[in-house]
Amino acid sequence: MTSESTRVVGVDGGADVDGVADVAGGAGRAGSGRREAVGWSVVRAAVPEFAGRVQERFGAHRHHVLATLRKDGAPRLTGLEADFRYGELWLGMMVGSRKVLDLRRDPRFSLHANPGPGADLSGGDVRVSGRAVEVTEPEVVARYAAAVKPPEPFHLFRAELTEAVRTYTEDSYVVLESWVPGRPLRTVRRTSDDAALRGE
């Protein structure tokens, strides 16, 4: 283990960079002010091992926590099942739910994996963020309904991701893995003694 308290490591074996990674950054679309958003199959193709760990973590429990934005911009947290199927991450919701109205008004969301019992965070702490695209094509909805058999009627959204993050502990370090479209996976290792991180 390095003697430096904080290290940023690219998966391609590139040079380490001292300091804190810009884990919230992303590859934006020119002139749009929006981050690039991609389907789950793109994440799996770009960083398969990391994507596998993220998907496995979501698969450990059935219910997770979805964050959407209310009309006044305040966050709304609700329970949700996440379903990885056909190379996509799907978000199914009851008709008339507030989160549907939130996503129709502003499609940005974050989904936090259920941490499970205890405090050991087996498998790490995982979240994904992006934009939810409502799916209305009858054949797609019908195929999903036939496979999942959700309570009907329902609303179906496909997640387009702008970020995926996994946090876990390793020895005396808190390790943060983050991926955004157009960048390699980044890893930050830090301790509570990191002066630059105090107060965050």
Side-chain angles (χ1 to χ4, degrees):
M1 188 62 65
T2 173
S3 60
E4 295 170 343
S5 59
T6 304
R7 308 243 312 160
V8 181
V9 184
V11 294
D12 57 358
D16 297 334
V17 180
D18 295 335
V20 182
D22 176 19
V23 297
R29 292 176 179 158
S32 68
R34 297 177 68 184
R35 293 183 185 178
E36 181 182 357
V38 298
W40 183 247
S41 60
V42 176
V43 183
R44 292 225 46 144
V47 280
E49 291 184 9
F50 172 72
R53 291 191 291 270
V54 169
Q55 187 169 336
E56 181 180 6
R57 188 65 188 78
F58 274 108
H61 300 279
R62 183 173 182 180
H63 296 99
H64 309 286
V65 178
L66 177 73
T68 57
L69 294 172
R70 299 173 186 261
K71 189 174 183 178
D72 64 359
R76 185 194 308 277
L77 299 178
T78 52
L80 186 79
E81 296 178 30
D83 187 38
F84 292 86
R85 191 178 301 271
Y86 315 126
E88 302 286 357
L89 170 55
W90 304 94
L91 311 174
M93 303 173 198
M94 292 177 58
V95 169
S97 67
R98 295 289 185 178
K99 54 197 167 196
V100 170
L101 300 178
D102 288 347
L103 291 173
R104 284 178 169 174
R105 183 174 50 250
D106 188 326
R108 291 176 294 172
F109 78 93
S110 283
L111 184 66
H112 192 283
N114 186 330
D120 61 346
L121 285 178
S122 177
D125 187 53
V126 167
R127 68 175 168 82
V128 296
S129 301
R131 294 188 287 275
V133 177
E134 188 166 11
V135 177
T136 57
E137 296 87 348
E139 63 278 8
V140 177
V141 175
R143 180 178 71 160
Y144 184 86
V148 179
K149 297 179 173 52
E152 297 194 46
F154 67 98
H155 295 285
L156 183 62
F157 290 81
R158 184 185 68 252
E160 293 188 351
L161 302 182
T162 57
E163 180 184 50
V165 178
R166 176 176 176 254
T167 306
Y168 61 97
T169 59
E170 181 181 85
D171 298 327
S172 61
Y173 289 86
V174 172
V175 184
L176 181 72
E177 295 178 318
S178 65
W179 181 84
V180 297
R183 292 187 182 180
L185 181 68
R186 302 186 79 184
T187 301
V188 177
R189 288 179 172 82
R190 67 185 190 185
T191 72
S192 58
D193 294 329
D194 293 334
L197 299 173
R198 287 176 186 161
E200 285 191 354

